[in-house]
Amino acid sequence: MSKTAKKNQSREGFKTNEYIVYPAHGVGKIIAIEEQEIAGAKLELFVITFEKDKMTLRVPTSKIANVGMRKLSETDFVAKALETLTGRARVKRTMWSRRAQEYEAKINSGDLGSIAEVVRDLYRSENQPEQSYSERQLYESALDRMAREIAAVHGSTETEAIQEIEKMLAKGPRRGARNEAEDDAEGESDGSSDKVEAA
């Protein structure tokens, strides 16, 4: 292979036929590296397909750092993200619109650990109250992003990745009315301890 052919095969450590994570869209595959002339300047572009969304994106190779494109997570990081799912949901007592924005930002950060937190916090088991439509949308969006990356890392199907995620979620603390009552009790005790500290 000539030097130029080799140079065209890899940019910033990224190469064709490699799966990557693009924060705003999740897992995609670099199918080609193209050169285009725009306003008299030659521009090199990654051609990335997002199969599930039936979408193709062209990203200038010089802009990857700016858009936050990254390689797939290492297997130990995937294990850590899956472990996050077994933790207790941390739901802030703020208005839903504000929490929704925070969840959306975590999903679009492209960070697998942050996405796992959204999946954990919005997960509802069968014996729990129904989610609102917007909660369900955000949960499914986070679940989809997480499953796609796990499937790409493990070389499994998305269905298998979802089963793995749900198995971890089932290991988490029981979620339901009892936990909400505990949260309220904790909130009250936090308030009284604040008064003691202030005294």
Side-chain angles (χ1 to χ4, degrees):
M1 196 184 270
S2 72
K3 274 183 186 171
T4 39
K6 250 188 184 154
K7 186 175 156 248
N8 286 337
Q9 286 300 305
S10 174
R11 293 290 176 279
E12 300 264 333
F14 291 102
K15 41 192 187 301
T16 48
N17 295 319
E18 178 180 17
Y19 284 101
I20 54 89
V21 175
Y22 192 90
H25 305 291
V27 175
K29 188 179 187 180
I30 299 173
I31 55 164
I33 297 171
E34 290 180 348
E35 259 191 23
Q36 278 186 11
E37 199 166 307
I38 297 168
K42 275 206 168 112
L43 200 58
E44 195 175 60
L45 307 161
F46 281 122
V47 182
I48 305 164
T49 62
F50 299 89
E51 207 174 290
K52 197 168 181 184
D53 303 326
K54 299 190 174 17
M55 178 176 78
T56 301
L57 209 59
R58 284 174 168 72
V59 184
T61 54
S62 58
K63 293 265 188 260
I64 350 175
N66 297 4
V67 296
M69 189 169 113
R70 65 170 173 82
K71 291 184 173 284
L72 291 174
S73 297
E74 298 290 325
T75 47
D76 59 343
F77 191 73
V78 169
K80 201 173 155 195
L82 282 165
E83 197 56 45
T84 298
L85 301 175
T86 65
R88 188 166 176 186
R90 294 196 185 118
V91 180
K92 289 183 184 167
R93 298 194 180 283
T94 53
M95 285 177 65
W96 166 247
S97 58
R98 188 175 210 159
R99 277 189 291 143
Q101 282 177 334
E102 286 174 16
Y103 290 140
E104 193 85 50
K106 281 183 173 188
I107 293 168
N108 291 327
S109 71
D111 176 69
L112 191 61
S114 296
I115 294 168
E117 287 172 10
V118 177
V119 171
R120 177 198 66 202
D121 294 351
L122 290 178
Y123 170 71
R124 290 273 197 282
S125 62
E126 285 163 24
N127 60 354
Q128 283 181 282
E130 256 319 285
Q131 284 173 311
S132 70
Y133 177 75
S134 53
E135 275 183 310
R136 185 95 202 134
Q137 293 286 94
L138 281 169
Y139 172 73
E140 287 183 353
S141 173
L143 181 66
D144 182 62
R145 289 280 176 92
M146 190 173 184
R148 279 202 243 177
E149 184 161 2
I150 290 171
V153 172
H154 290 171
S156 62
T157 66
E158 251 180 82
T159 308
E160 288 167 333
I162 287 174
Q163 286 168 348
E164 195 175 351
I165 291 166
E166 287 174 343
K167 198 170 82 184
M168 294 305 274
L169 285 166
K171 288 182 185 177
R174 287 250 176 270
R175 296 164 197 201
R178 202 174 59 79
N179 272 16
E180 278 158 29
E182 282 170 16
D183 285 346
D184 291 339
E186 277 173 24
E188 285 160 23
S189 67
D190 286 350
S192 59
S193 66
D194 284 350
K195 286 175 196 154
V196 172
E197 283 168 30

